[in-house]
Amino acid sequence: HQVRGATKEKTRKLDELKAKRKAKSEKKRTRINSPKRERSSSPMDMEMSSEDEEDGQISKLEQQEERESCLLNKAKPEDEDLTLEDLEKCRLSRNKLVKYALMPWFEDFVKGSWVRYLIGADQGQPVYRICEIANLGANPAKPYKIENEYFDTSLELRHGAAIKVFPMDKVFNAAFTEDEWCRFKATCEHEKVKLPAKRTIEKKLQQFAKLTSHSLTEADVAAILARKAELNRSLPKSRTTATKAALERAELVRMRALAQMRRDFAESAALEVQLAALDARQGVGAPARSEKEDILAKVNERNRQVNRDAVRRAEVAEAERRKKARLARAAAAANGSRAGTPGVFKCVLFLLFFLLLRAFAD
C-alpha cells in the first residue's frame, strides 16, 4: 500500500517546524550583526550564553527538531488506505457465529468485527450492507432457528452513523462485494464517520486467533450447558419435547443400522425394543396423527419388517450353506474309503481259488 499524502495535522506541524528554524536563523543573524555583549555571571546570562555556541555545533533543540521531522515523515499504519481485502479478513460468516455463539467469550469475539447483512430486496434482488458489530443486543431476541439450532442472540450493527439491533439469522456467508464496499465508503464520507485504521484490523485478527485457540475449562463447559438449558427453557414446551424426541429417535435408528451392519442381531433387537417404547411414549396422550404422518409411520413400519425378514433370510441361508458344506465333506470322506475296497476283495478271492485248486490236485 502506498503512503497517503500529508494530513492537515502533519502539514501544520511541518509549518511550525519551519517557522521555528526561520526564527532561529534570524536570531543568529541579529546576534552576529549586533555588538558583543559584556559577560555576566547571572544564571540567566549563563543560559543565554550557552545558546551562543559556535556555528556547526548541533544544539539539543536542533536534535529534537530533527527527531520530530523524521517522525512526521514516517509512514504509519493509520495513514494507509483501508482496502476491501483488509476488511474481508475481519468478516464473520453466519457459520462462524453459529459455531461460537455459546462460547463464554463470544461477546469479545464479535465486538469490532464485520458482517455482510441482508436488509431486504430491491426489484427482486437481495440487498446487503457492510456492517460493524458494535456490541451484542442488550435484550434476548425471540428464539429463531439457524441450521436446526435455536438462538436468541441479537447484534448491534453499525452502518455509517446508524446503529440498529438485528438477529444473526440474516448474516450472509459470502464475501463482501466491490459495489457494497464503494457504497459503504460513500456513506461513511457523507455521514463524517472515520473508517477503521489498519492497526485496529490487525489487533482484531490477533484477538480472533487468541480466543479461538483458548482451551475450554470446566467452568466454560458449565457455562455453555447452563446457556443451552436457559435457551431450551425459553422455547415453547411442545416444540422442545418434540425436538428432543426426534433427536432421540434418530440416534436409535442410527445405532440400529450400525448394529445390523456388524451383524450384531442381539443389539439390533434391543434397539428395536427401545424404538417401540419411544414410539409408544409419543403416542400416549398425543393428538391424532395427520394423514401424512400416518402414511410415514406405515412406511417406516414396513421398512422395519423388510429389514427383519432380510435378517432372518440371511440367517437361514447361512445355516443351509453350512449344512450343505458339512454333508459334502462327509460324502467326500465316505467315497474315499470305499474307493480302496474292490482291490482287496479280488486278492482274497484269487487266493481262495488257488487254495481250492491245490486241494483238488492233491
Side-chain angles (χ1 to χ4, degrees), residues 6-14 72:
T7 60
K8 290 182 179 180
E9 181 67 18
K10 180 177 175 181
T11 305
R12 184 182 64 80
K13 289 187 177 181
L14 285 172
L72 287 171

Side-chain angles (χ1 to χ4, degrees), residues 7 43 60 73 77 103 131 134 143 177 188 274 282 307:
T7 60
K60 290 183 179 180
N73 289 324
M103 294 297 171
C131 300
T177 66
C188 290
Q274 293 183 43
Q282 284 185 282
N307 289 337

